[in-house]
Amino acid sequence: MCFYFCSNLDLTMVTLKDIASAHDRIRPFIHRTTVMTNNSLDQLSGSKLFFKCDNFQKSGSFKIRGATNTVELLSQEELDKGVATTSSGNHGAALSMAVKRRGGKTKVVMPINTPKIKVNNVERNGGEVVWCEPDQPSRERVLNELVIETGCTVAHPYNDERIVAGQGTAAKELLEDYPDLDMIICPVSGGGLLSGTLLSAKGINPHIKVFGAEPSEADDAYRSLQKGEILANETIDTICDGLRAQIGSLTFPIIQEHVDGIITVTELEIIEAMKMVWERMKIIAEPSSVITLGALLKNQEFFSGKKVGLILSGGNVDLNELPWI
C-alpha cells in the first residue's frame, strides 16, 4: 500500500501567528514566488493544478524561508560563533546566503554523494563544506564534532520551530493567492516543509486536505506514521537527493496530528513527473519537487475534480546528470 491516511491526535506547536510573524520578518529577503498553472497537466490529471514555484526562490529552493527566519532570530553572539548545519544541499546554500548577509560564516556538513550543483551552490553563497558519509549517523557525528571543536551555533535543517515557521510561509502565500484550494501536496523528508505547510494551511482553512509525497526508496515518514513512532530509513536509494533525511522528532508529532495522508512514489513515477514538468511547463524543477505531481498522478481518481496546490520545492538540478539520460 502506498497511500497512508493518518488519524488526528491532539498537539499544538508552531502557530499560524508564528508563521505570519516569520513572513513579516523574512519578506524583504525572499521572493514571493509565482503560482503557475498548466492546461495540459490539468487535462491529463483531471484536476485543476496550482504549482507554487519555489524552484524560482532565492538560493533555488524553499529553504531560504526557514533559514532566513532562523538567522534573523540569532543574536550577534550566536552569529559570531559561526553557524553550522547538515544538508543535502538546498538548506546549506540557503543558510549560507542568510548568514553571509549578516556578516557571518557557515559550515555545512554534506554527504559525499551530494550532486555537484548543490555543492557549488553552497560554496557560491559563502558556505564551507565539511564532508560526511551518506547516512544519518555520519551527518550527526560530524556535526557534533564541529560543535565541540568550534562552539558554533547549530541551525538544524528541519528540527527547529524557527525553520518550521519559515517554511510555512510558502503555503501561506499559496492560499493568499488561491484561497479556494481543496488540497495541497507537499514533499516530505525531514518534515520541516510539510510541518509548516500543515500548520499554515490548516490554520487558514481547517477543511483543506494536505498530503505528503515521499519516495518509496526513502519512506521513513510513511512507515513511521503506520507504526506510530519514528522509524529509520531502510534505504535512501532515490534520485530525490533532497528527500533522504530522517523525519525529525519535532516535525513528526506535527505531521502525526495534522496530515491527511502520505503518498509514496516510485523512482520511475518521479522521473516521469519530472519530464512532464520540464516538457509541458518549460521550467527546471528537481526530483524532490516534482514528486508532488507524481503523487497526484499515481492517485488520479482520488484527486479528480479537485483544486490542488502542488509545492515545487526547488530547482537545483545537475544538468549533466538528468535521470532520463
Side-chain angles (χ1 to χ4, degrees), residues 24-324:
D24 290 340
R25 188 175 297 116
I26 70 177
R27 202 184 307 269
F29 311 116
I30 67 166
H31 295 313
R32 186 183 180 103
T33 51
T34 188
V35 178
M36 295 184 68
T37 58
N38 185 274
N39 288 335
S40 172
L41 291 175
D42 287 352
Q43 293 171 11
L44 175 68
S45 67
S47 307
K48 184 63 178 174
L49 308 182
F50 300 85
F51 294 85
K52 177 60 172 170
C53 292
D54 258 29
N55 53 318
F56 298 149
Q57 188 54 265
K58 289 187 179 182
S59 79
S61 83
F62 76 96
K63 291 286 192 176
I64 194 66
R65 298 175 181 272
T68 300
N69 189 49
T70 301
V71 170
E72 287 302 298
L73 289 170
L74 293 180
S75 67
Q76 190 60 47
E77 180 181 1
E78 289 173 314
L79 193 68
D80 289 344
K81 291 178 180 178
V83 181
T85 193
T86 65
S87 175
S88 57
N90 286 343
H91 173 69
L95 185 67
S96 298
M97 177 182 286
V99 170
K100 183 179 180 181
R101 184 176 46 75
R102 284 198 61 189
K105 301 289 187 181
T106 307
K107 293 182 185 294
V108 184
V109 177
M110 301 182 74
I112 58 175
N113 62 345
T114 302
K116 184 171 174 51
I117 186 175
K118 295 193 173 183
V119 176
N120 292 344
N121 204 15
V122 168
E123 294 177 337
R124 186 166 54 246
N125 283 290
E128 177 187 343
V129 174
V130 180
W131 297 111
C132 70
E133 294 301 315
D135 58 67
Q136 195 72 21
S138 179
R139 287 189 188 202
E140 294 173 359
R141 177 181 55 78
V142 174
L143 180 62
N144 288 338
E145 289 172 357
L146 270 180
V147 172
I148 293 170
E149 179 183 336
T150 68
C152 56
T153 300
V154 174
H156 197 275
Y158 50 86
N159 222 36
D160 186 312
E161 291 187 1
R162 299 166 297 185
I163 292 287
V164 170
Q167 315 308 28
T169 62
K172 178 176 179 288
E173 291 177 359
L174 175 59
L175 287 171
E176 286 172 350
D177 291 343
Y178 293 94
D180 59 344
L181 293 181
D182 299 304
M183 300 174 176
I184 294 176
I185 307 177
C186 170
V188 57
S189 180
L193 179 59
L194 180 56
S195 295
T197 298
L198 286 162
L199 295 169
S200 186
K202 300 280 188 175
I204 293 169
N205 176 9
H207 303 293
I208 197 169
K209 303 293 185 184
V210 179
F211 299 90
E214 185 175 46
S216 299
E217 296 297 325
D219 64 348
D220 60 305
Y222 170 78
R223 290 184 299 102
S224 296
L225 286 174
Q226 285 186 309
K227 184 71 173 178
E229 62 185 50
I230 294 176
L231 300 176
N233 270 313
E234 294 179 345
T235 173
I236 52 171
D237 186 21
T238 175
I239 60 169
C240 297
D241 55 88
L243 303 183
R244 294 170 179 165
Q246 176 69 50
I247 196 77
S249 57
L250 171 71
T251 58
F252 179 63
I254 300 172
I255 294 168
Q256 266 191 311
E257 180 188 8
H258 294 292
V259 80
D260 292 288
I262 297 287
I263 305 169
T264 59
V265 189
T266 69
E267 298 298 287
L268 181 59
E269 289 164 343
I270 294 164
I271 292 169
E272 288 302 309
M274 185 174 174
K275 289 174 69 174
M276 286 182 192
V277 168
W278 282 49
E279 291 176 349
R280 303 190 187 205
M281 298 183 70
K282 313 305 180 189
I283 61 175
I284 294 177
E286 62 188 88
S288 301
S289 291
V290 300
I291 192 172
T292 54
L293 177 61
L296 182 139
L297 293 176
K298 186 170 187 170
N299 297 275
Q300 280 183 246
E301 184 175 344
F302 178 81
F303 291 102
S304 179
K306 304 297 185 183
K307 296 179 180 179
V308 186
L310 303 177
I311 296 184
L312 294 182
S313 53
N316 293 314
V317 179
D318 187 341
L319 299 181
N320 294 314
E321 298 289 342
L322 297 178
W324 51 78

